[in-house]
Amino acid sequence: MKIVAFILVRMDSDRLPGKVLLDVHGKPILQYLYDRITSASLVDDIVITTSTNNKDNCIEKFCSINNISLFRGAEFDVLDRLSCAVSEYYADIGVVIYGDCPLLCPQIVDNMIENFLKNDGEYDFVCNSLETTYPPGMEVEVFSKDSIQLADKLADTEEVREHATLFIRQNHDL
């Protein structure tokens, strides 16, 4: 089972545009996050997942310079972007990491993956964000390849497709 963490980022932001590449003590925020995820022992690969918007070309350049895997897809159809990235990187299990969480704890990532794995196929989705019990910035979502592909097939509104896993969270009965 290949487990891939997908860091969802783009340069556009309403509150602080460009924050993912904002320099903090000589390093972009995205580098801090990437470095932290590399410490998660259950993650096999990490892919920066951004849009094809020209504003995100600098994210592609950052990945190229740092030899980091990259996937580019639809800007606002994040569900499609994620589903396509899962396929391209042959992930059996995907882990959503939000790009504006540079202090994410790698142990939380591993704990979420462990919870997903120990249920031996009983769950298609495990997260710590349905109920706020962790501090902001510690959100992790783990899903099966089949669940994200089903969501991509069935989700039919822009509002739902804009949020990568919202369809799964809203349709847990499936």
Side-chain angles (χ1 to χ4, degrees), residues 17 21 31 33 40-41 54 69 73-74 132 142 162 165:
L21 293 181
Q31 185 70 57
L33 176 57
S41 63
N54 288 336
S69 297
T132 303
V142 182
E162 184 179 356
T165 60

Side-chain angles (χ1 to χ4, degrees), residues 21-125:
L21 293 181
L22 197 68
D23 185 276
V24 176
H25 293 290
K27 250 184 358 184
I29 287 176
L30 185 54
Q31 185 70 57
Y32 284 101
L33 176 57
Y34 180 84
D35 291 346
R36 292 184 72 78
I37 302 309
T38 61
S39 296
S41 63
L42 296 176
V43 172
D44 298 315
D45 197 4
I46 303 168
V47 177
I48 305 294
T49 309
T50 193
S51 86
T52 55
N53 184 316
N54 288 336
K55 290 180 182 179
D56 294 324
N57 290 348
C58 52
I59 294 172
E60 181 173 9
K61 183 178 178 182
F62 165 82
C63 290
S64 178
I65 290 168
N66 292 287
N67 199 31
I68 296 172
S69 297
L70 173 74
F71 181 85
R72 295 188 78 170
E75 182 173 15
F76 297 109
D77 189 346
V78 183
L79 174 56
D80 180 69
R81 186 189 330 156
L82 181 59
S83 180
C84 289
V86 165
S87 293
E88 184 164 314
Y89 283 90
Y90 302 101
D92 297 300
I93 297 170
V95 181
V96 169
I97 307 291
Y98 294 100
D100 56 357
C101 301
L103 302 177
L104 179 62
C105 177
Q107 289 78 22
I108 293 175
V109 174
D110 281 338
N111 286 342
M112 291 294 108
I113 295 169
E114 285 172 0
N115 283 329
F116 183 89
L117 292 173
K118 78 177 182 185
N119 287 291
D120 196 28
E122 184 179 340
Y123 299 139
D124 293 310
F125 181 77

